[in-house]
Amino acid sequence: MDQTQNKAREIDLVAEKAFEIQSNPGQRFSELVVRLFVECKFIQGHSVFWLSDKDEEAAERLVCHQGGGFRPYNSYTKRHHYLSEAKKVAKLFATTKSPEQDPFYKALNQVLNAQVSMKGQQLAVIDGSTSTVGGVLNYPVIVCSTFDGVYATDFLSHAEPTPLQENFQLEVQYAYANSAGSVRDEYFLIDIVEFAQLQSFSEALDRDAKSACMLLSRG
């Protein structure tokens, strides 16, 4: 539900996967849930992203507030893919389409709106009778059919755009109204993933989850 307009917004996919958190004998079985909010886009035409340095402090706060047991100044936190990959992130973009038809503009709004709207809702993958939720890692993701026609340039230079060939992140300061009607302004990183590179992205999320499980098991 889009709280600002009080109407439903579609999203292509919400995917969940549970990871077991090791517990001490006698403790109830708990699991970490990785939840993806995914928009899939067929890319036509050309798009240019302006890249600049990632806000490392904001990215670390985002990781630590996710709910996976990550803490500041911790080696496992530094391994999270938001912090260990891509020191440059996309800040702005432009395409050959109008704003209403722009695939990236629509996609970033859909994945972020879905994430904030579903905050605190029941997780489908957890059976409350046999296990409890030990933590949740949420990821907004845009999956592109191809990166052909997708280019990058430096935010602070006048260099010619060059083809983007690796998965990258889009840094967004997102303002929205929560369910109570209060206006929030939050920092997000959105993974932009080429379909052909889904395997490497999946491996990065798996490493994030294993690090979170290790930290949560220690309490």
Side-chain angles (χ1 to χ4, degrees):
M1 178 67 70
D2 186 335
Q3 301 295 343
T4 62
Q5 299 185 35
N6 196 33
K7 61 182 179 181
R9 295 291 188 190
E10 293 182 353
I11 186 169
D12 288 333
L13 180 67
V14 178
E16 298 176 359
K17 182 177 179 179
F19 294 79
E20 180 180 352
I21 300 170
Q22 295 295 324
S23 58
N24 296 322
Q27 290 183 332
R28 192 176 182 190
F29 176 63
S30 64
E31 295 178 289
L32 169 81
V33 177
V34 172
R35 181 164 59 174
L36 309 183
F37 300 90
V38 183
E39 271 295 304
C40 302
K41 292 300 176 184
F42 180 72
I43 303 302
Q44 294 178 307
H46 296 85
S47 300
V48 178
F49 288 84
W50 278 262
L51 304 185
S52 186
D53 293 336
K54 181 184 294 180
D55 186 335
E56 297 283 350
E57 291 185 2
E60 183 170 307
R61 287 196 299 270
L62 174 64
V63 170
C64 293
H65 291 163
Q66 271 193 315
F70 294 103
R71 299 182 289 273
Y73 312 112
N74 184 281
S75 61
Y76 284 100
T77 300
K78 297 298 183 184
R79 296 176 197 172
H80 191 288
H81 87 279
Y82 280 171
L83 299 172
S84 63
E85 299 180 4
K87 298 303 180 183
K88 296 277 188 179
V89 292
K91 307 257 185 173
L92 295 172
F93 59 90
T95 73
T96 54
K97 296 182 179 293
S98 66
E100 294 77 14
Q101 297 178 319
D102 179 86
F104 292 106
Y105 178 78
K106 292 175 65 177
L108 77 86
N109 276 286
Q110 286 168 303
V111 295
L112 293 181
N113 181 70
Q115 180 170 329
V116 300
S117 297
M118 294 183 66
K119 185 176 182 179
Q121 290 190 15
Q122 179 68 36
L123 297 163
V125 75
I126 293 291
D127 180 358
S129 64
T130 59
S131 65
T132 60
V133 179
V136 181
L137 298 180
N138 292 308
Y139 295 96
V141 184
I142 300 172
V143 177
C144 302
S145 58
T146 180
F147 279 169
D148 291 345
V150 180
Y151 296 84
T153 188
D154 191 273
F155 190 83
L156 299 177
S157 75
H158 299 287
E160 288 294 316
T162 57
L164 264 169
Q165 299 178 331
E166 303 291 335
N167 295 336
F168 62 102
Q169 294 161 4
L170 176 63
E171 192 176 67
V172 177
Q173 197 70 32
Y174 186 65
Y176 65 95
N178 63 17
S179 57
S182 301
V183 176
R184 302 290 301 273
D185 187 7
E186 295 187 23
Y187 173 92
F188 290 92
L189 286 169
I190 302 173
D191 285 293
I192 301 184
V193 181
E194 186 181 35
F195 180 79
Q197 300 184 61
L198 276 172
Q199 182 62 38
S200 62
F201 176 63
S202 175
E203 291 168 357
L205 297 189
D206 190 68
R207 290 191 294 271
D208 289 353
K210 289 178 179 177
S211 293
C213 287
M214 176 67 71
L215 291 168
L216 290 168
S217 70
R218 296 175 177 178

